[in-house]
Amino acid sequence: MAYGVRTVIDLRDPRELERLPYPFAPSDLPNVVIRNVPLISVAEWEAIKDPARMREGYVLTAKLSLPNIVMALRAVGAAPPGVVVVHCHEGRERTGIVAALLLALAGVDDESIGADWTLSAPETMEPAWIIDVLQHMRRERGSVEEYLVAGGLTPAEISALRSRLLAV
């Protein structure tokens, strides 16, 4: 591929894939690994049916889908050398959470993460919505890293992610 894409990580739920399948066959991308790693847990899908829970925003994902977040980050870290594309349906909420966590692990400050995230839809997105996720993790465990470790990501996996993200 022209941009060196070697891995695509799709954060959508299998039901979404059924409704909106890829417009291409795997044979169309012979050197690209495509992995489906749903970010939203069954518990979160149930919780978001309740309008009161929806007010928790993206922090709800951190609370109810941490094992799924860990699987997504693990998939990025385990991807073969080359560009990794992470996406969901629109590329803002689920993809935004994964991107924010990767940026935080790479040492990017919250203000920059929030500003970057709002570029996806500046007319509708507030930086605080994504920063709240990072702050929740820090309140619960002291740091984003420790929150992810509590969810099952190992320190070695975090180190490997950092190395991949910061490689020049």
Side-chain angles (χ1 to χ4, degrees):
M1 299 206 55
Y3 295 102
V5 175
R6 297 290 174 254
T7 305
V8 174
I9 299 171
D10 185 342
L11 302 174
R12 296 179 297 161
D13 183 270
R15 293 169 290 191
E16 292 174 279
L17 285 171
E18 212 172 274
R19 283 191 334 266
L20 299 164
Y22 286 110
F24 49 82
S27 59
D28 295 337
L29 302 169
N31 298 316
V32 177
V33 174
I34 300 173
R35 297 210 36 213
N36 178 237
V37 185
L39 193 72
I40 305 298
S41 67
V42 173
E44 186 177 353
W45 282 117
E46 286 302 311
I48 61 176
K49 292 176 184 176
D50 178 355
R53 294 300 307 265
M54 285 293 291
R55 285 191 281 275
E56 293 178 59
Y58 303 124
V59 170
L60 191 60
T61 302
K63 290 179 180 178
L64 298 179
S65 297
L66 181 56
N68 297 50
I69 291 170
V70 166
M71 286 189 296
L73 294 176
R74 196 170 272 148
V76 171
V83 174
V84 178
V85 173
V86 179
H87 75 90
C88 56
H89 179 68
E90 292 183 7
R92 293 185 288 201
E93 288 89 7
R94 292 169 278 187
T95 303
I97 290 169
V98 171
L101 292 171
L102 290 170
L103 289 169
L105 291 176
V108 177
D109 63 273
D110 287 0
E111 183 178 316
S112 297
I113 292 170
D116 180 70
W117 182 70
T118 60
L119 293 174
S120 298
E123 68 284 349
T124 60
M125 298 169 86
E126 295 290 329
W129 298 346
I130 201 71
I131 293 170
D132 285 349
V133 175
L134 304 172
Q135 290 177 343
H136 166 77
M137 291 178 168
R138 292 181 189 114
R139 278 191 308 273
E140 290 294 312
R141 294 288 176 164
S143 70
V144 169
E145 294 86 349
E146 288 303 315
Y147 194 88
L148 295 170
V149 166
L153 202 63
T154 68
E157 289 171 318
I158 290 172
S159 179
L161 275 168
R162 275 198 182 103
S163 294
R164 182 179 193 122
L165 294 166
L166 298 174
V168 185

